[in-house]
Amino acid sequence: MADYNQYAAQQANQQLQSQFDQKLKINVPEFVPQGYATQTTEQLSVSAPSFQPGMQASQSTFKPDAPVFNPSINSPEFTPSMPVPSQKAMAPTGHLAHYDKVSELAYAQRPPKTYPSLLPHAVRQLQPNKHAPGNSLFVDEDLRQGLIKRQIVTEMTYDKHTKDVPAEVDNYHSFVDLEPLNLAQGTVFGYPSVVYKAFSMADGLPYAVRRIAGYRLSEAKAIDCVNSWKNIRHSNIVNLREAFTTRDFQDHSVCFIYDFHPLSETLLSRHFQTNQGFVSEELLWSYIIQITSALRAVHLSGLACRVIHPSKILVSAGGKNTRSHIRIGSVCVLDVLQYSEQQQTHAVISHYQQEDLVALGKLILVLACSNLRAVTRENLPQSFQYVSKHYTEHVYTILRYLLGANPHGPKNLNDLMPMIGARFYTELESEAQTNTSLEHELAKELQNGRLFRLATKLQMVIGRPEQELDPRWADTGDRFLLKLLQHYIFHRVSCIHVYEYNKCMS
């Protein structure tokens, strides 16, 4: 009976093939499985041999005595509880074995915990001593610690509010004082002032609040000066957001709202209240370029800064991977406190702009001498002598220009550009290198958010009690692939039972 069924099946296949060839009018090789091959085959018009499963490329004749392929022999049904075959039993042969050995050799020679960098050449140039295998997966430790400290300072609040600090002021809450209240008359503003950190009820972001205590606004037009400063956006100026008057501090006060920059300190606290020592010329030129850049933006807007003072200029933390970033703070305060119609004329504003240049010269001199009394009249000759001895001639020249009289008319910031010279390109290169380094550190965290979302989703949908009786989550269900993916990622081990999370995730 079995021979008759084979013969009938063969005759039916040949009949269908002949009908198909007559319709298309072509002769093609006949597909004959090895188990049903006969001893004789008719010659076909096409010289190519018939396709045979398992035939090698070098074979040109059909071998009827080839072994018959039977899928049911030595192929047990797969079940999840079956042990995984050993690597020796599953080892490929021929070209596949060679390819597998090459892949394993390449992975073995690859350093552990490596991640392809987007800017490898720039990173090797910027961080030659930190290009280690362990640093290619995570953000630099110094940068990470700096960001964590900034986050802690940003989120810091008081458990209980004191009597001097109200719970809410206008549209802001959670006040934390960043500097103690100086009850003495300020040297810059003429009124006691204090700086707080507070959160806005509108957007939930932190802001710096400069409070001028004991000042009662006499003219409402003085607040209009804020609109001119709000339009100035510069990287070296602390942006002003708004200003308002309040009596929530049990007195008449004016509050100025600025962007909050955590862990920033003033030039006064960095170079004069702590023993920082000698200010290098490279750092001094960096300060000069950044401050003049901010002054240029202010003067082009028809305004004057009027707060070029060590206590009102902020400098960033300046870690190993970041540069010292200068920001001029407390802008617009004197414009409001000393407001008058006469001060809005072009002549008065030009006078204040000239005072900005003189104040810049005094700031450079006290930084170079590391002494706040270096700009007094009796100490000025000794201060210039010290600068000429310890700094180059260009620093001395720029100080002479800013602090001396100009016989050619009013001073201008554009006249400082030839004195700065090629140092501007050095500062520009330093800024570009910092941005490149930060971009590389950001690229390391590029896939972390996606991997976290993937792991979270897998844990959310897998292993829930209501899935026990759901056939879709059974071993034969379509959602069982998610369980296999979870096991592949989190439960993968090598042949020597060593966890391979790194290899799996990469």
Side-chain angles (χ1 to χ4, degrees), residues 317-370:
K320 295 181 180 180
N321 295 330
T322 58
R323 55 194 292 273
S324 296
H325 196 116
I326 288 291
R327 294 182 179 91
I328 301 177
S330 302
V331 296
C332 187
V333 174
L334 288 178
D335 293 348
V336 174
L337 299 183
Q338 301 177 4
Y339 176 81
S340 65
E341 293 291 343
Q342 293 77 13
Q343 290 185 355
Q344 305 304 314
T345 61
H346 178 72
V348 175
I349 293 177
S350 299
H351 172 71
Y352 286 144
Q353 291 177 353
Q354 294 297 309
E355 289 187 350
D356 286 344
L357 298 179
V358 176
L360 174 61
K362 293 181 178 180
L363 177 64
I364 298 173
L365 187 59
V366 297
L367 287 173
C369 298
S370 300

Short mmCIF file of all heavy atoms in Angstrom, two decimals, residues 317-370:
data_model
loop_
_atom_site.label_atom_id
_atom_site.label_comp_id
_atom_site.label_asym_id
_atom_site.label_seq_id
_atom_site.Cartn_x
_atom_site.Cartn_y
_atom_site.Cartn_z
N ALA A 317 31.18 77.04 39.43
CA ALA A 317 32.04 76.18 40.24
C ALA A 317 33.37 75.92 39.57
O ALA A 317 34.41 75.89 40.20
CB ALA A 317 31.32 74.87 40.57
N GLY A 318 33.35 75.67 38.24
CA GLY A 318 34.59 75.48 37.51
C GLY A 318 35.32 74.21 37.87
O GLY A 318 36.42 74.24 38.40
N GLY A 319 34.68 73.05 37.59
CA GLY A 319 35.31 71.76 37.88
C GLY A 319 36.38 71.43 36.85
O GLY A 319 36.81 72.26 36.04
N LYS A 320 36.79 70.14 36.86
CA LYS A 320 37.85 69.71 35.96
C LYS A 320 37.39 69.73 34.51
O LYS A 320 38.19 69.95 33.61
CB LYS A 320 38.31 68.30 36.34
CG LYS A 320 38.96 68.23 37.71
CD LYS A 320 39.43 66.82 38.01
CE LYS A 320 40.09 66.74 39.39
NZ LYS A 320 40.55 65.38 39.70
N ASN A 321 36.09 69.48 34.28
CA ASN A 321 35.59 69.42 32.90
C ASN A 321 34.84 70.68 32.49
O ASN A 321 34.26 70.73 31.42
CB ASN A 321 34.66 68.21 32.74
CG ASN A 321 35.39 66.90 32.92
OD1 ASN A 321 36.57 66.81 32.62
ND2 ASN A 321 34.70 65.89 33.40
N THR A 322 34.82 71.69 33.35
CA THR A 322 34.12 72.92 33.03
C THR A 322 35.05 74.10 33.22
O THR A 322 36.04 74.03 33.97
CB THR A 322 32.88 73.09 33.93
OG1 THR A 322 33.30 73.07 35.31
CG2 THR A 322 31.89 71.97 33.70
N ARG A 323 34.74 75.19 32.57
CA ARG A 323 35.53 76.40 32.67
C ARG A 323 34.87 77.35 33.66
O ARG A 323 33.70 77.19 34.02
CB ARG A 323 35.63 77.06 31.29
CG ARG A 323 34.29 77.33 30.65
CD ARG A 323 34.43 77.65 29.18
NE ARG A 323 35.08 78.90 28.96
CZ ARG A 323 34.46 80.08 28.94
NH1 ARG A 323 33.15 80.13 29.12
NH2 ARG A 323 35.10 81.18 28.72
N SER A 324 35.63 78.34 34.10
CA SER A 324 35.09 79.35 35.02
C SER A 324 34.20 80.30 34.24
O SER A 324 34.69 81.08 33.41
CB SER A 324 36.25 80.11 35.70
OG SER A 324 37.01 79.24 36.49
N HIS A 325 32.91 80.21 34.50
CA HIS A 325 31.94 80.99 33.75
C HIS A 325 31.55 82.21 34.58
O HIS A 325 31.14 82.10 35.72
CB HIS A 325 30.70 80.14 33.46
CG HIS A 325 29.82 80.72 32.40
ND1 HIS A 325 29.59 80.09 31.19
CD2 HIS A 325 29.11 81.87 32.35
CE1 HIS A 325 28.78 80.83 30.46
NE2 HIS A 325 28.48 81.92 31.15
N ILE A 326 31.67 83.38 33.96
CA ILE A 326 31.38 84.66 34.62
C ILE A 326 29.97 85.10 34.25
O ILE A 326 29.55 85.02 33.10
CB ILE A 326 32.41 85.73 34.20
CG1 ILE A 326 33.76 85.45 34.84
CG2 ILE A 326 31.93 87.12 34.57
CD1 ILE A 326 33.80 85.64 36.32
N ARG A 327 29.23 85.59 35.27
CA ARG A 327 27.91 86.17 35.05
C ARG A 327 27.77 87.42 35.91
O ARG A 327 28.00 87.36 37.12
CB ARG A 327 26.79 85.18 35.40
CG ARG A 327 26.72 83.95 34.49
CD ARG A 327 25.55 83.07 34.89
NE ARG A 327 25.43 81.91 34.03
CZ ARG A 327 26.01 80.73 34.27
NH1 ARG A 327 26.76 80.57 35.36
NH2 ARG A 327 25.85 79.72 33.44
N ILE A 328 27.38 88.50 35.30
CA ILE A 328 27.14 89.75 36.02
C ILE A 328 25.74 89.71 36.62
O ILE A 328 24.76 89.54 35.89
CB ILE A 328 27.31 90.96 35.10
CG1 ILE A 328 28.73 90.98 34.50
CG2 ILE A 328 27.05 92.26 35.85
CD1 ILE A 328 28.96 92.11 33.51
N GLY A 329 25.65 89.84 37.92
CA GLY A 329 24.36 89.77 38.60
C GLY A 329 23.89 91.12 39.10
O GLY A 329 24.60 92.14 39.02
N SER A 330 22.67 91.12 39.63
CA SER A 330 22.06 92.31 40.25
C SER A 330 21.95 93.48 39.29
O SER A 330 22.07 94.65 39.67
CB SER A 330 22.86 92.73 41.49
OG SER A 330 22.93 91.68 42.43
N VAL A 331 21.74 93.20 38.02
CA VAL A 331 21.54 94.29 37.06
C VAL A 331 20.18 94.92 37.28
O VAL A 331 19.26 94.30 37.84
CB VAL A 331 21.66 93.77 35.61
CG1 VAL A 331 23.06 93.25 35.34
CG2 VAL A 331 20.64 92.67 35.34
N CYS A 332 20.04 96.16 36.91
CA CYS A 332 18.80 96.95 36.96
C CYS A 332 18.46 97.43 38.36
O CYS A 332 17.52 98.21 38.53
CB CYS A 332 17.63 96.16 36.38
SG CYS A 332 16.10 97.08 36.19
N VAL A 333 19.19 97.01 39.39
CA VAL A 333 18.83 97.42 40.74
C VAL A 333 19.04 98.93 40.92
O VAL A 333 18.15 99.65 41.40
CB VAL A 333 19.65 96.63 41.78
CG1 VAL A 333 19.39 97.15 43.19
CG2 VAL A 333 19.30 95.15 41.69
N LEU A 334 20.20 99.42 40.54
CA LEU A 334 20.46 100.85 40.68
C LEU A 334 19.60 101.69 39.76
O LEU A 334 19.27 102.83 40.08
CB LEU A 334 21.94 101.13 40.41
CG LEU A 334 22.91 100.66 41.50
CD1 LEU A 334 24.35 100.95 41.08
CD2 LEU A 334 22.60 101.35 42.82
N ASP A 335 19.18 101.14 38.62
CA ASP A 335 18.29 101.89 37.73
C ASP A 335 16.95 102.14 38.40
O ASP A 335 16.31 103.18 38.15
CB ASP A 335 18.09 101.12 36.43
CG ASP A 335 19.36 101.04 35.60
OD1 ASP A 335 20.32 101.77 35.93
OD2 ASP A 335 19.41 100.25 34.64
N VAL A 336 16.50 101.22 39.24
CA VAL A 336 15.22 101.39 39.94
C VAL A 336 15.40 102.24 41.20
O VAL A 336 14.59 103.14 41.48
CB VAL A 336 14.63 100.01 40.30
CG1 VAL A 336 13.37 100.17 41.16
CG2 VAL A 336 14.30 99.24 39.04
N LEU A 337 16.46 101.97 41.96
CA LEU A 337 16.64 102.70 43.22
C LEU A 337 16.97 104.17 42.99
O LEU A 337 16.57 105.03 43.79
CB LEU A 337 17.76 102.04 44.03
CG LEU A 337 17.55 100.59 44.44
CD1 LEU A 337 18.70 100.11 45.31
CD2 LEU A 337 16.23 100.41 45.17
N GLN A 338 17.67 104.50 41.93
CA GLN A 338 18.08 105.88 41.64
C GLN A 338 17.37 106.44 40.41
O GLN A 338 17.94 107.22 39.65
CB GLN A 338 19.60 105.94 41.44
CG GLN A 338 20.40 105.45 42.64
CD GLN A 338 21.90 105.45 42.38
OE1 GLN A 338 22.36 105.89 41.33
NE2 GLN A 338 22.67 104.98 43.36
N TYR A 339 16.13 106.03 40.25
CA TYR A 339 15.40 106.42 39.04
C TYR A 339 15.04 107.90 39.10
O TYR A 339 14.63 108.44 40.14
CB TYR A 339 14.13 105.61 38.91
CG TYR A 339 13.27 106.02 37.73
CD1 TYR A 339 13.56 105.56 36.45
CD2 TYR A 339 12.19 106.89 37.91
CE1 TYR A 339 12.79 105.93 35.37
CE2 TYR A 339 11.41 107.27 36.83
CZ TYR A 339 11.72 106.79 35.56
OH TYR A 339 10.95 107.19 34.49
N SER A 340 15.18 108.54 37.95
CA SER A 340 14.72 109.91 37.74
C SER A 340 14.60 110.13 36.25
O SER A 340 15.24 109.44 35.45
CB SER A 340 15.68 110.93 38.38
OG SER A 340 16.93 110.89 37.73
N GLU A 341 13.81 111.10 35.89
CA GLU A 341 13.61 111.38 34.48
C GLU A 341 14.90 111.87 33.82
O GLU A 341 15.15 111.59 32.64
CB GLU A 341 12.51 112.42 34.31
CG GLU A 341 11.12 111.95 34.71
CD GLU A 341 10.56 110.89 33.76
OE1 GLU A 341 11.10 110.78 32.62
OE2 GLU A 341 9.61 110.20 34.13
N GLN A 342 15.73 112.58 34.58
CA GLN A 342 16.95 113.12 34.00
C GLN A 342 17.97 112.01 33.69
O GLN A 342 18.81 112.16 32.79
CB GLN A 342 17.59 114.13 34.95
CG GLN A 342 16.79 115.41 35.13
CD GLN A 342 15.59 115.22 36.06
OE1 GLN A 342 15.51 114.20 36.76
NE2 GLN A 342 14.68 116.19 36.07
N GLN A 343 17.90 110.89 34.43
CA GLN A 343 18.87 109.83 34.21
C GLN A 343 18.58 108.99 32.97
O GLN A 343 19.38 108.14 32.61
CB GLN A 343 18.92 108.91 35.44
CG GLN A 343 19.53 109.55 36.67
CD GLN A 343 19.66 108.58 37.81
OE1 GLN A 343 19.22 107.44 37.71
NE2 GLN A 343 20.28 109.03 38.90
N GLN A 344 17.45 109.24 32.35
CA GLN A 344 17.10 108.48 31.15
C GLN A 344 17.59 109.14 29.87
O GLN A 344 17.34 108.63 28.78
CB GLN A 344 15.58 108.30 31.07
CG GLN A 344 14.97 107.67 32.32
CD GLN A 344 15.60 106.33 32.65
OE1 GLN A 344 15.79 105.47 31.77
NE2 GLN A 344 15.94 106.14 33.92
N THR A 345 18.30 110.24 29.98
CA THR A 345 18.83 110.91 28.80
C THR A 345 20.07 110.20 28.27
O THR A 345 20.73 109.43 28.99
CB THR A 345 19.16 112.37 29.13
OG1 THR A 345 20.16 112.39 30.16
CG2 THR A 345 17.91 113.11 29.62
N HIS A 346 20.38 110.48 27.04
CA HIS A 346 21.53 109.83 26.41
C HIS A 346 22.85 110.26 27.06
O HIS A 346 23.77 109.44 27.21
CB HIS A 346 21.55 110.17 24.92
CG HIS A 346 22.73 109.58 24.20
ND1 HIS A 346 22.87 108.23 23.92
CD2 HIS A 346 23.87 110.19 23.70
CE1 HIS A 346 24.00 108.02 23.30
NE2 HIS A 346 24.62 109.18 23.14
N ALA A 347 22.95 111.49 27.49
CA ALA A 347 24.19 111.97 28.10
C ALA A 347 24.46 111.27 29.43
O ALA A 347 25.61 110.89 29.71
CB ALA A 347 24.11 113.49 28.30
N VAL A 348 23.42 111.10 30.23
CA VAL A 348 23.61 110.43 31.53
C VAL A 348 23.97 108.96 31.33
O VAL A 348 24.84 108.42 32.01
CB VAL A 348 22.35 110.59 32.40
CG1 VAL A 348 22.49 109.82 33.70
CG2 VAL A 348 22.09 112.06 32.68
N ILE A 349 23.31 108.30 30.40
CA ILE A 349 23.60 106.89 30.15
C ILE A 349 25.04 106.72 29.64
O ILE A 349 25.76 105.79 30.03
CB ILE A 349 22.58 106.31 29.16
CG1 ILE A 349 21.19 106.26 29.80
CG2 ILE A 349 23.00 104.90 28.73
CD1 ILE A 349 20.10 105.79 28.88
N SER A 350 25.49 107.63 28.78
CA SER A 350 26.88 107.57 28.29
C SER A 350 27.87 107.77 29.44
O SER A 350 28.94 107.12 29.46
CB SER A 350 27.11 108.63 27.21
OG SER A 350 26.26 108.42 26.11
N HIS A 351 27.50 108.64 30.39
CA HIS A 351 28.37 108.83 31.55
C HIS A 351 28.47 107.54 32.38
O HIS A 351 29.57 107.16 32.81
CB HIS A 351 27.82 109.98 32.41
CG HIS A 351 28.54 110.13 33.71
ND1 HIS A 351 29.83 110.61 33.82
CD2 HIS A 351 28.14 109.85 34.99
CE1 HIS A 351 30.20 110.62 35.08
NE2 HIS A 351 29.19 110.17 35.82
N TYR A 352 27.35 106.87 32.57
CA TYR A 352 27.37 105.61 33.31
C TYR A 352 28.14 104.51 32.56
O TYR A 352 28.81 103.67 33.18
CB TYR A 352 25.94 105.14 33.59
CG TYR A 352 25.24 105.94 34.66
CD1 TYR A 352 23.88 106.21 34.57
CD2 TYR A 352 25.93 106.43 35.76
CE1 TYR A 352 23.22 106.94 35.54
CE2 TYR A 352 25.28 107.18 36.74
CZ TYR A 352 23.94 107.43 36.63
OH TYR A 352 23.30 108.16 37.61
N GLN A 353 28.08 104.54 31.25
CA GLN A 353 28.84 103.57 30.47
C GLN A 353 30.34 103.80 30.62
O GLN A 353 31.12 102.82 30.67
CB GLN A 353 28.43 103.65 29.00
CG GLN A 353 27.02 103.14 28.73
CD GLN A 353 26.61 103.29 27.29
OE1 GLN A 353 27.32 103.91 26.48
NE2 GLN A 353 25.45 102.74 26.94
N GLN A 354 30.77 105.07 30.71
CA GLN A 354 32.17 105.35 30.97
C GLN A 354 32.58 104.89 32.36
O GLN A 354 33.70 104.39 32.57
CB GLN A 354 32.44 106.85 30.80
CG GLN A 354 32.26 107.37 29.39
CD GLN A 354 33.23 106.74 28.42
OE1 GLN A 354 34.44 106.73 28.66
NE2 GLN A 354 32.72 106.22 27.31
N GLU A 355 31.67 105.00 33.31
CA GLU A 355 31.96 104.50 34.66
C GLU A 355 32.07 102.98 34.68
O GLU A 355 32.83 102.42 35.49
CB GLU A 355 30.87 104.97 35.63
CG GLU A 355 30.93 106.46 35.94
CD GLU A 355 29.94 106.84 37.02
OE1 GLU A 355 29.09 105.98 37.39
OE2 GLU A 355 30.02 107.99 37.52
N ASP A 356 31.35 102.31 33.81
CA ASP A 356 31.48 100.85 33.71
C ASP A 356 32.90 100.46 33.30
O ASP A 356 33.47 99.49 33.84
CB ASP A 356 30.48 100.29 32.69
CG ASP A 356 29.06 100.29 33.22
OD1 ASP A 356 28.88 100.41 34.45
OD2 ASP A 356 28.12 100.15 32.41
N LEU A 357 33.49 101.21 32.37
CA LEU A 357 34.84 100.89 31.93
C LEU A 357 35.86 101.17 33.03
O LEU A 357 36.83 100.41 33.21
CB LEU A 357 35.18 101.69 30.67
CG LEU A 357 34.28 101.40 29.45
CD1 LEU A 357 34.71 102.28 28.27
CD2 LEU A 357 34.36 99.94 29.07
N VAL A 358 35.65 102.24 33.79
CA VAL A 358 36.55 102.51 34.91
C VAL A 358 36.42 101.43 35.98
O VAL A 358 37.42 100.97 36.55
CB VAL A 358 36.26 103.91 35.50
CG1 VAL A 358 37.12 104.17 36.73
CG2 VAL A 358 36.50 104.99 34.45
N ALA A 359 35.18 101.02 36.26
CA ALA A 359 34.97 99.95 37.24
C ALA A 359 35.60 98.64 36.77
O ALA A 359 36.12 97.87 37.59
CB ALA A 359 33.48 99.77 37.49
N LEU A 360 35.59 98.39 35.47
CA LEU A 360 36.24 97.19 34.94
C LEU A 360 37.74 97.26 35.18
O LEU A 360 38.38 96.25 35.56
CB LEU A 360 35.94 97.06 33.44
CG LEU A 360 36.66 95.93 32.71
CD1 LEU A 360 36.29 94.57 33.29
CD2 LEU A 360 36.34 95.98 31.21
N GLY A 361 38.35 98.41 34.96
CA GLY A 361 39.78 98.55 35.23
C GLY A 361 40.11 98.33 36.69
O GLY A 361 41.12 97.69 37.03
N LYS A 362 39.28 98.85 37.59
CA LYS A 362 39.52 98.63 39.03
C LYS A 362 39.38 97.15 39.39
O LYS A 362 40.15 96.63 40.21
CB LYS A 362 38.54 99.46 39.85
CG LYS A 362 38.76 100.97 39.73
CD LYS A 362 37.75 101.72 40.58
CE LYS A 362 37.99 103.23 40.49
NZ LYS A 362 37.02 104.00 41.32
N LEU A 363 38.41 96.48 38.77
CA LEU A 363 38.22 95.06 39.05
C LEU A 363 39.43 94.25 38.59
O LEU A 363 39.91 93.35 39.30
CB LEU A 363 36.95 94.57 38.35
CG LEU A 363 36.65 93.08 38.49
CD1 LEU A 363 36.37 92.70 39.94
CD2 LEU A 363 35.46 92.68 37.61
N ILE A 364 39.96 94.55 37.41
CA ILE A 364 41.14 93.84 36.92
C ILE A 364 42.33 94.08 37.83
O ILE A 364 43.12 93.16 38.13
CB ILE A 364 41.45 94.28 35.47
CG1 ILE A 364 40.29 93.91 34.53
CG2 ILE A 364 42.74 93.63 34.98
CD1 ILE A 364 40.45 94.46 33.13
N LEU A 365 42.47 95.30 38.32
CA LEU A 365 43.62 95.63 39.15
C LEU A 365 43.56 94.92 40.50
O LEU A 365 44.58 94.38 40.96
CB LEU A 365 43.69 97.15 39.35
CG LEU A 365 44.94 97.68 40.06
CD1 LEU A 365 46.20 97.30 39.29
CD2 LEU A 365 44.86 99.20 40.22
N VAL A 366 42.39 94.88 41.13
CA VAL A 366 42.30 94.21 42.44
C VAL A 366 42.45 92.70 42.28
O VAL A 366 42.99 92.03 43.18
CB VAL A 366 40.97 94.55 43.13
CG1 VAL A 366 40.89 96.05 43.42
CG2 VAL A 366 39.77 94.10 42.32
N LEU A 367 42.01 92.14 41.16
CA LEU A 367 42.22 90.71 40.92
C LEU A 367 43.69 90.41 40.68
O LEU A 367 44.21 89.39 41.15
CB LEU A 367 41.38 90.25 39.73
CG LEU A 367 39.87 90.14 39.95
CD1 LEU A 367 39.16 89.83 38.63
CD2 LEU A 367 39.55 89.07 40.97
N ALA A 368 44.38 91.26 39.94
CA ALA A 368 45.79 91.03 39.66
C ALA A 368 46.63 91.16 40.91
O ALA A 368 47.59 90.40 41.11
CB ALA A 368 46.27 92.00 38.58
N CYS A 369 46.27 92.11 41.79
CA CYS A 369 47.03 92.32 43.02
C CYS A 369 46.51 91.49 44.19
O CYS A 369 47.16 91.48 45.24
CB CYS A 369 47.02 93.79 43.40
SG CYS A 369 47.78 94.88 42.18
N SER A 370 45.33 90.85 44.02
CA SER A 370 44.71 90.05 45.09
C SER A 370 44.53 90.88 46.36
O SER A 370 44.70 90.40 47.48
CB SER A 370 45.55 88.80 45.40
OG SER A 370 45.67 88.00 44.25
#
